[in-house]
Amino acid sequence: MAKETSKKLRHKVIYSIYVRSHTSDGTFNAIVPDLDRIKSLGVDIIWFMPIHPCGQVNMKGSVGSPYAIQDYREVNPEYGTKDDFIRLVEEIHSRGMQCMIDVVYNHTSPDSYLVKHHPEYFYKTPEGRFGNKVADWEDVIDLDLNNPELCDYLIETLKMWAEIVDGFRCDVAPLIPLEFWQRARREVEAVRPGCIWLAETVEDTFIKLNRKQGLTALSDSEVYQEFDITYDYDAINFMRDYLESKGGLRDYISILNRQDVTYPENYVKLRFLENHDRPRAKSFIHSESDLLNWTAFLYFQKGATLIYAGQEVQSALKPSLFEIEKVDWDQKRDISRFMKKLYGIKQHHLFSDGDYSLEKDNDSETIIGYYEKDDRKIVGIFPVKSEHVNILLSNVPDGCYKNLINDQNINVCSGTVHISGVSIIFKIG
């Protein structure tokens, strides 16, 4: 892993914005009035999905995907100007937050600036044509990262944006040679010390598919050599299997515990219930009480927390990447205060430097988590099916404690606590 990665990143909450869908105007300027609300939610970093012009050739939908980029060094004119973006970042910084942008270096649109000026930078099919290695990505063509001049161009582009922003979320990072990321991190650090590197790592099946074809496909462990944070795709499907009755809760907990011994000691995972590629949590966790309990566990988990804009109002609509669809903000159930409370709990130092473990209650569908160090401990209890049940805890002294989520008193008697369908987080010492 990047040796300089700070475990304090485990306290961070990242808020993901799709500019096209976030406001009625769909512009950089229209986001500025929303920054105070976002900050009050408990957000440290705003990540903007690609801000660049979208390609028109072979585009999907009526407006095209933001991930089919036409020019890495410009901004989408539908969003505003580059000066508008710089002012937006300044407004983010003035509120004590940081800003990340998306980096999509595996491919470009077929009508990109680089196609027109440097066709030699691109992967060619056996027939000598432009193409891509992933069949359903027909709106893009792949770059050839074995070309040293291309690498020079891309790294210079990163350094240009690093003058403005604080970090990068790197799309399908495992498909790009590790040597590129090693050089990129080193050179960007000279421009933006402490730049944050978030890798969209991929599912096991996608790694195997690419390796079968003789293509670059880095594991999370390899990616951690240069990135600070990786996606949670090695575990998240176990959660979905459980929710779809295809797997057990103990299986999900087991893979989370396995992460803690698989990766370097200072690893940071990006924990999420939803993102722009996955369904909204509300669309598959229909019970509101269950969703609140899963949200509490989301914040409790070891790693940075991702919130996809609209999640705070329990939106079930995931805006299309290829059409103009706005976030459905007209919700009757805003859980922003709940999330703000969880954010405050997440700032306790044990969330970054405590010994972390999870277990399943034997008699219910409840996750129990512990952070421990010296004589201090934080205990989390998450009834993901909102059960009312008595929970036996490990090495927790009897006594009266305060639930940090709702400030109510809870009693532990003979090592047992009663839960009434809601999550509990309390500290000892």
Side-chain angles (χ1 to χ4, degrees), residues 393 396-402 409-417 426 428:
L393 302 174
V396 173
D398 288 355
C400 181
Y401 301 94
K402 183 175 74 172
N409 290 331
I410 57 169
N411 292 300
V412 177
C413 183
S414 300
T416 300
V417 62
F426 64 93
I428 302 171

Side-chain angles (χ1 to χ4, degrees), residues 360-389:
K360 179 190 175 298
D361 178 57
N362 289 328
D363 300 318
S364 68
E365 299 300 289
T366 300
I367 301 171
I368 308 168
Y370 302 92
Y371 287 96
E372 303 177 67
K373 186 174 183 179
D374 300 326
D375 59 348
R376 295 189 174 189
K377 181 181 294 189
I378 291 180
V379 182
I381 307 170
F382 309 96
V384 294
K385 289 190 180 295
S386 304
E387 294 172 275
H388 294 235
V389 65

Side-chain angles (χ1 to χ4, degrees), residues 287-399:
S287 163
E288 183 172 295
S289 59
D290 289 358
L291 182 54
L292 290 176
N293 289 324
W294 277 109
T295 300
F297 181 58
L298 168 68
Y299 276 78
F300 185 86
Q301 287 189 73
K302 191 178 195 175
T305 300
L306 175 67
I307 301 301
Y308 185 35
Q311 186 173 341
E312 65 268 40
V313 293
Q314 299 189 57
S315 176
L317 171 67
K318 183 185 75 170
S320 169
L321 291 180
F322 319 118
E323 306 291 345
I324 297 179
E325 284 186 351
K326 303 300 180 180
V327 175
D328 181 10
W329 295 109
D330 186 21
Q331 302 293 310
K332 295 181 179 178
R333 181 59 172 157
D334 187 335
I335 60 171
S336 295
R337 290 186 178 180
F338 181 70
M339 297 167 89
K340 173 68 172 179
K341 192 76 171 179
L342 293 169
Y343 174 80
I345 296 170
K346 191 176 182 68
Q347 302 317 300
H348 193 285
H349 74 89
L350 285 182
F351 280 80
S352 60
D353 62 10
D355 180 60
Y356 175 66
S357 62
L358 299 170
E359 60 188 48
K360 179 190 175 298
D361 178 57
N362 289 328
D363 300 318
S364 68
E365 299 300 289
T366 300
I367 301 171
I368 308 168
Y370 302 92
Y371 287 96
E372 303 177 67
K373 186 174 183 179
D374 300 326
D375 59 348
R376 295 189 174 189
K377 181 181 294 189
I378 291 180
V379 182
I381 307 170
F382 309 96
V384 294
K385 289 190 180 295
S386 304
E387 294 172 275
H388 294 235
V389 65
N390 291 325
I391 301 293
L392 181 63
L393 302 174
S394 302
N395 299 317
V396 173
D398 288 355

Side-chain angles (χ1 to χ4, degrees), residues 69 96 122 129 220 273 322 355 417 424:
I69 292 173
F122 288 83
R129 296 192 294 267
D220 283 24
L273 294 179
F322 319 118
D355 180 60
V417 62
I424 293 171

Side-chain angles (χ1 to χ4, degrees), residues 18 68 100 113 186 215 317 338 356 406 419:
Y18 183 18
M100 302 175 68
Y113 171 89
R186 182 175 67 250
L215 305 174
L317 171 67
F338 181 70
Y356 175 66
N406 58 19
I419 58 170

